[in-house]
Amino acid sequence: MDALDSFTKTFLTATALGKLPATTVTRHARVLRGCAGDRDEVAVVARCQSRQHRRNVFMLTRNRLVVTGESAVLRRVSLHLNAELHQLADVTWTPEPSRTGVQLGLTAIDGVRENFWVRLAGAAEMWRLDEALKQAFRTPWGVIQPAVAAPVAGVKVATGVKAPLPELRLA
């Protein structure tokens, strides 16, 4: 039996792939978990910016898109956007390889147009987010692949057996 639920496993992997600082992950984790629940699998977690806040965290799961904001002085975390994928309209994005980021625009269910600059750790993460957004919004009944850690160096993987996930800790 696994000690970690599916959200925790994929969230920790996604934050490690996104190279988010442990302090940022610790501050935002409670709010993000409250929005997604224990069974939702996380595809991408990254830093992002909007017009209102410069310090946001973006999370894309199989079912939801969540953005949290952080106040500048006291670093209090608040929920900026929490929507199921089918509640979002006019979702557009533009990957920018030279800046390793994605310009994302969407209209929430309340009719407010949101624009985000999603900063990613590298080109591989940028293309992974691009693929996850394609799966979520351009394919009918798309299934977004959760974040998966790369196999540990030196560990051979037999056919049909998954490599163990690297040990990831919040702090």
Side-chain angles (χ1 to χ4, degrees), residues 77-129:
V77 176
S78 62
L79 188 61
H80 180 75
L81 175 68
N82 178 20
E84 292 186 19
L85 297 180
H86 68 83
Q87 294 175 334
L88 301 172
D90 300 326
V91 180
T92 59
W93 64 94
T94 306
E96 296 188 23
S98 62
R99 297 174 60 197
T100 61
V102 174
Q103 184 68 38
L104 176 68
L106 54 95
T107 303
I109 195 166
D110 58 0
V112 175
R113 182 76 180 167
E114 298 279 355
N115 291 297
F116 299 104
W117 169 249
V118 183
R119 294 183 294 163
L120 297 152
E125 278 296 298
M126 181 189 64
W127 294 118
R128 200 167 70 75
L129 174 59

Side-chain angles (χ1 to χ4, degrees), residues 133-150:
L133 291 168
K134 284 179 189 173
Q135 291 171 355
F137 298 108
R138 290 197 180 149
T139 59
W141 302 289
V143 176
I144 300 172
Q145 297 300 318
V148 177

